[in-house]
Amino acid sequence: AGVRGRSGSCRAAFLWDTGASGTDRAFFFLLLSAGAAMVNLRVCALECEALRGLLQERAAQCLVLDCRSFFSFNAAHIRGSCNVRLSTIVRRRAKGALALEHVVPNEELRARLRQGLFHTVVLLDERSADLELPKRDSTLLLALGTLCREARGARICFLKGGYEAFSSACSEQ
């Protein structure tokens, strides 16, 4: 494992590890904030085929959070996914710490997440191949930071290649 990068005031570090098969890449997201306890959460890189399998077998236990723009989401999205919409003002005021209400605006889904009823939460953007690519203040990384604090018990995953890769590999979804 090794340090992949650091970002701004919340000093997040990404580390990678290769699984036993040599192909699985897992990311560890460490959120360090001044005066607060360190949050250590494993964020799995999920392939498109794996997400398709989750949606076919365990759709009720899988929450898909689409971090693309409102317009991109409305043009096309993964069936059952929720759009994470963050205005510029919310981003600026958040300074890296968002309330779960901004990430999961649907009250019923938010309650299920807090109750631990979701086995997996999948975040995706337009096309990022790994967690290094999104900007520090991107919707995806802000949502990830919130889930690190709030979504205990759920496996957090990042969709490799984002919506672009998923839509070409799994067009029926």
Side-chain angles (χ1 to χ4, degrees):
V3 174
R4 202 50 150 175
R6 293 187 188 269
S7 62
S9 62
C10 77
R11 294 175 25 216
F14 297 97
L15 299 121
W16 73 94
D17 187 20
T18 304
S21 66
T23 56
D24 297 331
R25 287 188 60 184
F27 296 89
F28 298 88
F29 184 78
L30 304 174
L31 182 62
L32 309 170
S33 55
M38 179 172 54
V39 176
N40 183 354
L41 181 69
R42 182 177 176 146
V43 179
C44 302
L46 194 66
E47 298 288 341
C48 296
E49 292 297 323
L51 177 57
R52 178 173 35 192
L54 271 173
L55 294 174
Q56 289 173 346
E57 298 167 15
R58 302 178 87 172
Q61 296 175 325
C62 182
L63 175 62
V64 179
L65 297 176
D66 190 324
C67 299
R68 297 177 302 140
S69 73
F70 175 76
F71 298 110
S72 295
F73 179 82
N74 282 336
H77 59 270
I78 297 172
R79 193 175 322 132
S81 63
C82 300
N83 188 222
V84 179
R85 299 180 302 267
L86 302 177
S87 70
T88 305
I89 293 170
V90 169
R91 277 180 217 273
R92 203 174 309 136
R93 289 182 180 167
K95 297 181 181 163
L98 291 172
L100 189 59
E101 291 76 22
H102 292 292
V103 177
V104 185
N106 181 296
E107 192 173 329
E108 180 185 336
L109 293 176
R110 196 169 54 246
R112 289 183 60 206
L113 182 61
R114 285 188 170 137
Q115 293 167 4
L117 299 177
F118 286 112
H119 175 266
T120 306
V121 178
V122 179
L123 293 116
L124 64 110
D125 64 0
E126 193 67 50
R127 70 182 61 87
S128 295
D130 61 45
L131 287 174
E132 287 181 1
L133 298 178
K135 294 179 184 174
R136 179 176 53 107
D137 64 345
S138 72
T139 299
L140 183 103
L141 291 182
L142 290 171
L144 182 62
T146 299
L147 291 169
C148 284
R149 291 188 321 275
E150 305 275 346
R152 293 177 182 86
R155 183 177 80 154
I156 310 295
C157 297
F158 166 76
L159 183 63
K160 289 175 70 174
Y163 181 78
E164 193 174 275
F166 187 84
S167 65
S168 57
C170 309
S171 58
E172 74 281 358
Q173 293 285 325

